[in-house]
Amino acid sequence: MRYLTFALAKGRLAKKTLTYLEKMGIEMEEMKDPDTRKLIFVNEDLRIKMFLSKASDVPTYVEYGAADIGVVGKDTILEEGRKLYEVMDLGFGKCTMCVCGPESARELLQHQQLIRVASKYPNIAKDYFNNIKHQTVEVIKLHGSVELAPIVGLAEVIVDIVETGTTLKENGLMVLEEICPLSARVVVNQVSMKMENERITGILNALKKVM
Ligand code: PRP
């Protein structure tokens, strides 16, 4: 039996996923060691390999078949636009992709004005403004703390994830428009889905049962 490889997006999603996998009987003991510098973990009995990677790299590993199965947020799936099957909504990591800014930016969104939009998600931002709102905008890619952009005058609004709304509130910003709901998803390599269908379907069904 060949190994099935899982790629998990580092952080909260991976932690939660590992607890569900454990409930299903998929234990990756060494992965729990907070001091380990190992990158890939193997469960020989179950013929399973598992690794953690930066969220934005998970769809890449899965598209190329370096991982058969991935767990990653819907935000990353939309942004990366990779060829893969999205097979399951895990229902945790819930948040919303939104256009946010100061109250004063609200009217800029209503009059087709050329504005600057800062985001860690330039593809989602472009798609929303160009194809849904039909508003021409300049999208500026940032890598974090995006809420700074409207405060320091880099952009009029941002496109970002809102979970509790605390970051917005503490920085005098608000949700101006909602783009889409997000949560953790399971993705599968398209060839693996055919070649290893029975094993993958079994894992997905077991996962559904413990959720
Ligand atoms: C995310 C997101 C928001 C914040 C939203 O950032 O980009 O900034 O969380 O959460 P809240 O609504 O609960 O306040 P993250 O913590 O990943 O940091 P980053 O901005 O540096 O990427």
Side-chain angles (χ1 to χ4, degrees):
M1 191 163 54
R2 83 161 175 91
Y3 286 102
L4 268 190
T5 303
F6 287 66
L8 309 182
K10 254 188 231 174
R12 274 178 294 176
L13 290 194
K15 273 198 190 135
K16 202 136 195 187
T17 307
L18 284 170
T19 62
Y20 286 117
L21 291 175
E22 208 161 286
K23 278 190 201 166
M24 293 163 49
I26 300 180
E27 292 239 26
M28 307 302 288
E29 269 311 314
E30 271 186 300
M31 247 173 138
K32 288 190 232 159
D33 175 2
D35 297 324
T36 186
R37 302 290 296 163
K38 262 181 97 161
L39 295 172
I40 187 150
F41 304 89
V42 186
N43 182 320
E44 289 293 350
D45 299 337
L46 299 173
R47 304 292 285 170
I48 282 175
K49 288 185 185 177
M50 210 170 280
F51 64 84
L52 302 177
S53 81
K54 214 175 139 125
S56 54
D57 292 336
V58 169
T60 312
Y61 285 112
V62 173
E63 179 182 309
Y64 285 92
D68 302 285
I69 299 175
V71 176
V72 66
K74 178 71 177 172
D75 52 325
T76 307
I77 297 172
L78 290 171
E79 180 62 22
E80 296 301 313
R82 293 280 177 182
K83 275 195 208 123
L84 35 77
Y85 294 134
E86 184 188 315
V87 294
M88 197 173 155
D89 183 345
L90 290 169
F92 55 81
K94 280 193 179 166
C95 45
T96 312
M97 186 65 73
C98 297
V99 180
C100 311
E103 174 65 41
S104 58
R106 196 180 291 279
E107 65 173 329
L108 301 176
L109 299 171
Q110 274 144 26
H111 302 293
Q112 299 291 312
Q113 299 214 29
L114 176 61
I115 54 169
R116 283 182 300 190
V117 180
S119 186
K120 286 187 281 189
Y121 303 93
N123 293 328
I124 295 176
K126 275 180 210 155
D127 181 62
Y128 179 69
F129 278 97
N130 294 343
N131 302 329
I132 295 176
K133 279 182 69 78
H134 304 292
Q135 181 171 3
T136 308
V137 295
E138 181 181 348
V139 174
I140 301 170
K141 161 102 185 181
L142 287 179
H143 296 89
S145 304
V146 181
E147 289 83 358
L148 268 174
I151 300 172
V152 298
L154 176 67
E156 281 76 23
V157 296
I158 61 173
V159 164
D160 200 15
I161 287 174
V162 179
E163 191 181 354
T164 61
T166 312
T167 315
L168 291 178
K169 209 169 155 200
E170 290 192 3
N171 291 288
L173 305 172
M174 62 190 67
V175 172
L176 300 172
E177 289 176 2
E178 289 191 3
I179 300 179
C180 63
L182 306 166
S183 55
R185 308 291 161 100
V186 180
V187 293
V188 176
N189 171 267
Q190 294 186 338
V191 176
S192 307
M193 199 63 192
K194 290 192 185 76
M195 305 301 286
E196 295 290 334
N197 190 273
E198 209 171 307
R199 262 178 102 194
I200 292 175
T201 312
I203 288 171
L204 296 175
N205 287 338
L207 196 49
K208 264 179 216 152
K209 271 192 202 141
V210 298
M211 297 289 300

